[in-house]
Amino acid sequence: MTAPRVSLGLPVFDGEVYLEETLASIEEQTFGDFELIICDNASTDRTEEICRKLAARDPRVRYQRNDRNLGAAPNYNLAFELATGEYFKWVAYDDVLEPRFLETCVTALDEADDDVVLVYPRTVIIDGEGAEVGLYEDRLDLRESSLSKRLVHFASTWRLCNPVFGLIRADVLATTSLIGAYPSSDVTLLGELAIHGRYLELDQPLFHRRIHSRSSRQGELTMEEVEAWFDTSAATRKRRRWLKVSPRTGVFWRLVGSIATADHPVPSRLVAAPAFAGAWWFRRARVRGGELKARLRERGDATVTG
């Protein structure tokens, strides 16, 4: 059998509330040359029933049920490891795709230069009931050919990391560390992809990102719950807390290491590393300064301006 052009990896655990809507949006895609790989992390609700029913009627669907909950990061990576397509896309169990999502992204990546590693459409935020909250400005249209300029753009701009749900060249994705078993590992992955090549943001709002109370980072989960979601190993989580390295600091050092070992000329890396570091920490200082001003305003400090 010929491999599909696109592989979709859908990791899920207890996703019955939103899963059927997400699967319906995949079935309604105008581009049909895809495989859907569902990796179920030993769900305890109706997730298995929903997925097996779809797999029984659609030969493009493969359902993989894990014997135990591996944690989100290993499950995300398993979905990619099982993929056979030229292009790959992760699908969150609670997000919704417009019908032309795949068609538009495949066309853009087909027509793009080889150094374009990822394309993604604009993002619309929806709430737990599916109501539109508004258009989100990702601003990660990384078209710069210069490694240093591209990484400065990335370091200065990343926020919700919606492009991680874009369409990615599978051979490039295979050279990255994929999704790490720690919070903000999607930032690390997007940074590694930016080291490899350029991103294209497409103008059409074709991706509906759902933010609700159980969302991994934007919901109501504590940091301990988020860490457990990424990594079910209590031992590794304890070791990470013992090291007292914040997730974002850990991401920074991982990306500096990736720049240092990247397949780019030495002069390019020597320029890119300090440029990236400067942009990263300038942004952190700006964010912290804004947080301080907000706290002072709450206290009624009249001397705060700007």
Side-chain angles (χ1 to χ4, degrees):
M1 294 179 64
T2 303
R5 294 291 315 283
V6 174
S7 293
L8 304 175
L10 195 160
V12 62
F13 172 71
D14 284 357
E16 66 175 5
V17 175
Y18 301 117
L19 184 57
E20 288 175 299
E21 183 179 2
T22 298
L23 294 175
S25 77
I26 294 172
E27 286 191 284
E28 293 166 1
Q29 290 299 301
T30 56
F31 180 90
D33 187 12
F34 65 82
E35 63 178 351
L36 171 60
I37 304 156
I38 303 173
C39 290
D40 182 356
N41 236 346
S43 292
T44 60
D45 63 359
R46 289 182 53 249
T47 292
E48 180 176 9
E49 174 191 339
I50 293 167
C51 295
R52 289 195 183 280
K53 187 181 297 185
L54 175 62
R57 71 169 187 265
D58 192 335
R60 298 174 299 180
V61 179
R62 283 191 278 158
Y63 175 66
Q64 161 80 30
R65 181 175 173 85
N66 301 328
D67 294 334
R68 60 182 179 83
N69 188 336
L70 307 176
N75 203 35
Y76 265 73
N77 296 338
L78 177 61
F80 174 64
E81 290 162 9
L82 296 174
T84 63
E86 176 186 1
Y87 300 148
F88 181 82
K89 169 182 165 48
W90 275 297
V91 182
Y93 79 95
D94 48 0
D95 294 335
V96 178
L97 311 181
E98 288 289 329
R100 295 188 63 248
F101 183 108
L102 288 182
E103 177 186 352
T104 303
C105 289
V106 168
T107 298
L109 206 47
D110 281 347
E111 294 177 351
D113 294 336
D114 290 343
D115 67 338
V116 174
V117 299
L118 181 158
V119 299
Y120 72 97
R122 300 191 71 189
T123 301
V124 176
I125 302 297
I126 60 176
D127 65 15
E129 283 67 51
E132 290 192 8
V133 176
L135 193 64
Y136 186 81
E137 297 295 339
D138 289 292
R139 298 175 182 167
L140 281 174
D141 189 42
L142 307 184
R143 296 177 185 248
E144 298 89 347
S145 57
S146 162
L147 175 64
S148 60
K149 290 180 180 179
R150 195 162 64 242
L151 290 179
V152 166
H153 183 165
F154 175 77
S156 304
T157 311
W158 69 266
R159 291 185 293 167
L160 275 185
C161 293
N162 295 314
V164 81
F165 294 108
L167 194 66
I168 309 169
R169 294 191 191 275
D171 59 345
V172 176
L173 185 56
T175 67
T176 70
S177 58
L178 299 178
I179 299 294
Y182 54 88
S184 298
S185 57
D186 51 353
V187 184
T188 305
L189 173 57
L190 286 178
E192 290 181 4
L193 288 171
I195 292 169
H196 281 283
R198 298 186 293 141
Y199 299 180
L200 300 184
E201 180 183 84
L202 310 180
D203 191 50
Q204 300 93 322
L206 303 175
F207 176 53
H208 292 229
R209 171 105 182 243
R210 194 186 303 270
I211 304 295
H212 54 92
S213 61
R214 299 302 295 173
S215 294
S216 58
R217 294 304 306 273
Q218 288 73 44
E220 299 173 357
L221 302 184
T222 65
M223 181 54 71
E224 288 74 20
E225 289 173 318
V226 171
E227 289 179 343
W229 179 78
F230 273 101
D231 181 6
T232 57
S233 169
T236 57
R237 298 200 307 273
K238 183 177 180 179
R239 183 164 59 252
R240 191 177 299 116
R241 285 194 293 270
W242 178 79
L243 291 172
K244 296 183 179 179
V245 176
S246 72
R248 291 187 177 182
T249 299
V251 167
F252 169 77
W253 286 113
R254 287 182 178 94
L255 288 177
V256 169
S258 295
I259 296 168
T261 59
D263 186 19
H264 286 275
V266 172
S268 177
R269 285 180 279 154
L270 289 175
V271 171
F276 167 79
W280 182 281
W281 292 111
F282 177 76
R283 171 191 169 163
R284 291 299 299 148
R286 189 173 69 243
V287 169
R288 288 170 179 164
E291 291 171 348
L292 175 60
K293 287 182 178 180
R295 288 197 298 270
L296 291 174
R297 286 194 187 99
E298 290 174 0
R299 290 168 49 188
D301 191 328
T303 64
V304 177
T305 61

